[in-house]
Amino acid sequence: MDISVFEDAVEKLVKLLLEEGLTVQYLADAIEGIYSSCYSEKDKSLLLDAAVKALARRFSSRREEFYTALKTSASVGRDICYRVLDEEWQQEKDRILSGAMDGSKQVRETLILICAEHREWEPEIRAFLASRKAQERELAIRVMRSWGAEQYRE
């Protein structure tokens, strides 16, 4: 399937559910249900990309709902929400970085990708190296490795 098919379908679904008064958390969890029924990794990836695109259009008007969904949604829902926050990374850096303690492998992988795209976050990533929390240290190491670990050997 083509990405435009996913984008159209997800946009219609999001619009319909929002018209019914459902929250971002419900939308994110509904998309997780669809995600779970996708067979191929390609379809799962296309679905997530389409969901991020559709939900990002609504971020500014539903910011608090996204923050709630980051705490209460299932892992795919949280993954989608972090990707949406990355669309507004200048304003949402602290909230994105606060996800370092998320217990979901999928969410941690997404956070590593997001953080790796933002070299300007190096001071915060370096601070994670000194953390008492293993998940924060792991995030820092993996992000710094993607930046080229050789320059960080101390």
Side-chain angles (χ1 to χ4, degrees):
M1 245 192 261
D2 175 292
I3 183 67
S4 63
V5 173
F6 277 95
E7 287 177 356
D8 291 343
V10 172
E11 179 62 34
K12 288 176 185 174
L13 175 66
V14 166
K15 185 177 179 191
L16 175 72
L17 295 176
L18 289 175
E19 285 172 358
E20 292 298 319
L22 299 175
T23 65
V24 168
Q25 177 190 346
Y26 186 87
L27 288 169
D29 288 341
I31 293 167
E32 177 165 25
I34 297 167
Y35 176 91
S36 297
S37 68
C38 290
Y39 179 72
S40 77
E41 291 301 317
K42 179 183 176 192
D43 286 350
K44 288 179 178 184
S45 178
L46 290 172
L47 174 66
L48 289 180
D49 291 345
V52 169
K53 189 172 184 178
L55 290 172
R57 289 188 196 104
R58 287 129 174 122
F59 179 71
S60 61
S61 64
R62 295 177 173 269
R63 187 177 302 264
E64 291 302 319
E65 289 182 35
F66 278 93
Y67 297 162
T68 299
L70 284 173
K71 297 175 191 168
T72 58
S73 285
S75 61
V76 173
R78 294 192 314 276
D79 182 307
I80 292 167
C81 290
Y82 279 114
R83 291 175 190 225
V84 169
L85 263 60
D86 188 40
E87 299 289 317
E88 301 285 334
W89 63 269
Q90 298 92 336
Q91 299 163 343
E92 299 298 332
K93 174 180 79 171
D94 291 339
R95 198 166 303 269
I96 292 168
L97 292 173
S98 73
M101 293 301 298
D102 195 291
S104 162
K105 179 181 177 187
Q106 178 174 354
V107 172
R108 284 194 315 270
E109 293 297 324
T110 294
L111 288 170
I112 289 164
L113 292 174
I114 290 170
C115 292
E117 292 174 3
H118 299 288
R119 288 294 297 250
E120 63 277 7
W121 294 357
E122 183 176 342
E124 291 86 353
I125 299 300
R126 280 179 162 261
F128 280 165
L129 287 174
S131 174
R132 293 180 181 217
K133 299 170 182 163
Q135 288 170 306
E136 289 180 344
R137 291 192 310 270
E138 178 190 4
L139 178 102
I141 290 166
R142 293 190 56 202
V143 168
M144 293 170 89
R145 185 178 299 146
S146 75
W147 291 341
E150 291 304 314
Q151 65 186 339
Y152 295 105
R153 294 207 185 261
E154 294 176 0

